[in-house]
Amino acid sequence: MGGSSPCASCKLLRRRCAKDCIFAPYFPSDDPHKFAIVHKVFGASNVSKMLQEIPIHQRVDAVSSLVYEANARVRDPVYGCVGAISYLQNQVSQLQIQLAATQAEMNCIQMQQEPTLPTQLDQDEKALLLASSNNFNNIPQYFTFASSSNVIQDPLKRESLWT
């Protein structure tokens, strides 16, 4: 940097900030905490080596990642950001289970609200019903929904198969 104010890295390390300081573009003097946390977790020498091995156009993203991981490591020294990712993945899984249960409950309620078949069918209606049921051989015949009873019913006969 070479100007009047050294970068946060050089200020923390108490050294003169050179014109070609690798830290100066990414750790400005007005945000000393950013470098302090990265230095505490990774060390200045390691950060310097990492930045030198990365193309210049990718260094901003790399520094951002280092700061994020350093903050995560301070909060959770064992797992770091992997712990946060695992927690969020677990939350997504639980929400997917809740969503599936709610959708199944909604389907069950909708099926209960649909009008039922009349008890007495004439011969033409029975023939039509049997003919149309033969076209659905690829569709599962029985659907199970969460309910308080363990009764499975034949959807066409409305008779209990298990009691």
Side-chain angles (χ1 to χ4, degrees):
M1 185 164 198
S4 61
S5 179
C7 68
S9 166
C10 293
K11 194 179 280 188
L12 181 75
L13 300 174
R14 296 180 183 182
R15 64 182 188 191
R16 185 174 172 270
C17 192
K19 186 176 184 178
D20 60 344
C21 177
I22 190 124
F23 299 116
Y26 314 107
F27 300 103
S29 61
D30 61 346
D31 193 4
H33 179 70
K34 185 176 172 182
F35 180 76
I37 193 110
V38 170
H39 172 62
K40 181 179 180 181
V41 173
F42 298 106
S45 177
N46 289 332
V47 174
S48 174
K49 289 175 190 174
M50 283 188 259
L51 289 176
Q52 288 173 353
E53 292 178 8
I54 297 172
I56 293 173
H57 68 278
Q58 293 179 338
R59 289 181 183 173
V60 171
D61 292 334
V63 168
S64 177
S65 294
L66 287 170
V67 171
Y68 183 83
E69 177 64 24
N71 282 314
R73 286 278 171 191
V74 167
R75 283 190 306 268
D76 184 355
V78 175
Y79 295 108
C81 67
V82 173
I85 291 168
S86 295
Y87 172 77
L88 293 172
Q89 285 177 335
N90 188 24
Q91 232 179 354
V92 167
S93 294
Q94 289 176 351
L95 291 171
Q96 286 173 333
I97 290 168
Q98 285 179 343
L99 177 62
T102 303
Q103 287 173 334
E105 188 176 338
M106 286 174 47
N107 288 338
C108 187
I109 291 169
Q110 286 175 347
M111 289 178 65
Q112 289 174 353
Q113 291 177 349
E114 289 179 0
T116 58
L117 292 174
T119 55
Q120 295 293 327
L121 296 176
D122 65 8
Q123 291 295 3
D124 293 336
E125 290 173 329
K126 284 182 181 178
L128 182 62
L129 186 60
L130 287 173
S132 65
S133 68
N134 289 334
N135 294 332
F136 297 109
N137 289 335
N138 295 331
I139 299 174
Q141 293 289 325
Y142 305 104
F143 296 96
T144 57
F145 295 99
S147 69
S148 60
S149 68
N150 291 330
V151 177
I152 299 177
Q153 294 182 338
D154 183 335
L156 297 176
K157 294 181 184 175
R158 298 275 187 210
E159 292 176 10
S160 183
L161 296 177
W162 295 356
T163 56

